[in-house]
Amino acid sequence: MNESETQWSKTEKNIARQAFDKAHQLEIEKLIEEVKERARNISKVEDMWKLHDFLSAKRYDIDGKYDDRDSSLIFVFAQLVREKLLSMDELDGLAPEKRAKIVALSRM
Amino acid sequence: MNESETQWSKTEKNIARQAFDKAHQLEIEKLIEEVKERARNISKVEDMWKLHDFLSAKRYDIDGKYDDRDSSLIFVFAQLVREKLLSMDELDGLAPEKRAKIVALSRM
């Protein structure tokens, strides 16, 4: 990667932080709704353990996904765009090389 | 232990099976209600991970507790009586030595 893909200006860091936090909040809100829905629909013990497995997987996934180190952000944003937790509009202001890389990776 | 505490007649096995299954069902029903209640009350991410931790602990606890080997039943029943998931009435028909042992252990 060239420098504009790996170095983050102060302005870019602010944009990244806002986008990062917003996507995280959206994912958590969606997940809480899904957990409530799944819990409402528990009728037998297997459903309850399925909810437990679901929470285990999501917790592991979320713990790993939101890596806010500068060197990871391009990949994190690409994943968030792919999962529709973030739109490219929310990354307005990042260097064009960063945006291009995020778009390309998000389509893989 | 003497023989009447470790050997189970066919009649005793039937009584034990019924009591065992009934307590298990009661525990699961109570747990499902509690999980639904906890899920309804989730308002932030920490509440959701607390529900996950709660389910992890309960699953581990229940997996270990309901050990239906003959050699374990006295201890299992004592724990279930202690936790009010089973009453001694439901163990009517077991040899008096077994009942006495269960009562004694349930008070420890």
Side-chain angles (χ1 to χ4, degrees):
Chain A
M1 290 198 218
N2 62 39
E3 202 166 276
S4 66
E5 288 172 31
T6 54
Q7 299 297 311
W8 296 73
S9 70
K10 197 169 172 196
T11 306
E12 285 183 318
K13 282 189 183 185
N14 284 336
I15 293 165
R17 171 50 56 194
Q18 284 196 6
F20 189 92
D21 289 347
K22 192 173 172 186
H24 183 259
Q25 192 184 335
L26 178 61
E27 174 150 25
I28 294 297
E29 283 170 7
K30 285 181 170 195
L31 182 55
I32 288 177
E33 282 318 301
E34 183 163 1
V35 167
K36 284 174 185 256
E37 173 75 14
R38 282 175 180 247
R40 269 196 301 275
N41 291 326
I42 293 173
S43 63
K44 53 190 192 302
V45 64
E46 291 78 14
D47 303 330
M48 185 164 57
W49 300 148
K50 272 188 201 161
L51 172 61
H52 177 241
D53 291 338
F54 174 76
L55 279 166
S56 299
K58 285 291 179 184
R59 194 172 191 172
Y60 181 83
D61 176 48
I62 289 173
D63 276 354
K65 188 196 289 180
Y66 290 90
D67 176 355
D68 64 356
R69 287 172 297 177
D70 288 358
S71 58
S72 305
L73 279 176
I74 295 277
F75 302 98
V76 175
F77 286 145
Q79 184 177 0
L80 295 173
V81 169
R82 190 186 318 122
E83 295 175 355
K84 302 194 193 309
L85 290 163
L86 193 67
S87 76
M88 286 307 296
D89 292 348
E90 292 166 298
L91 298 174
D92 266 355
L94 297 191
E97 294 82 356
K98 288 192 182 70
R99 292 176 51 85
K101 187 97 184 180
I102 292 168
V103 169
L105 286 168
S106 75
R107 290 175 181 158
M108 282 185 186
Chain B
M1 288 198 220
N2 63 38
E3 201 166 278
S4 67
E5 287 173 31
T6 54
Q7 300 296 310
W8 295 74
S9 70
K10 196 169 172 194
T11 305
E12 285 183 317
K13 283 189 183 185
N14 284 337
I15 292 164
R17 171 51 55 194
Q18 284 196 7
F20 189 92
D21 290 346
K22 192 173 172 185
H24 183 259
Q25 192 184 334
L26 177 60
E27 175 152 25
I28 294 297
E29 283 170 7
K30 285 181 170 196
L31 182 55
I32 288 176
E33 282 317 302
E34 184 164 1
V35 167
K36 285 175 186 257
E37 173 75 14
R38 283 176 179 248
R40 268 196 302 275
N41 291 325
I42 292 173
S43 64
K44 54 189 192 301
V45 64
E46 291 78 14
D47 303 331
M48 185 165 57
W49 299 148
K50 272 188 202 160
L51 172 60
H52 177 241
D53 291 339
F54 174 76
L55 279 167
S56 299
K58 284 293 181 184
R59 193 170 191 173
Y60 180 83
D61 176 49
I62 289 173
D63 277 353
K65 187 195 289 180
Y66 290 90
D67 176 356
D68 64 356
R69 287 171 297 177
D70 288 358
S71 58
S72 304
L73 280 176
I74 295 277
F75 301 98
V76 175
F77 286 146
Q79 183 176 0
L80 294 173
V81 169
R82 190 184 321 120
E83 296 175 354
K84 302 194 191 309
L85 291 163
L86 193 68
S87 74
M88 286 307 298
D89 292 349
E90 293 166 296
L91 297 174
D92 267 355
L94 298 190
E97 295 81 357
K98 288 192 182 70
R99 293 175 53 83
K101 186 98 185 178
I102 292 167
V103 168
L105 286 168
S106 75
R107 289 175 181 159
M108 282 185 186

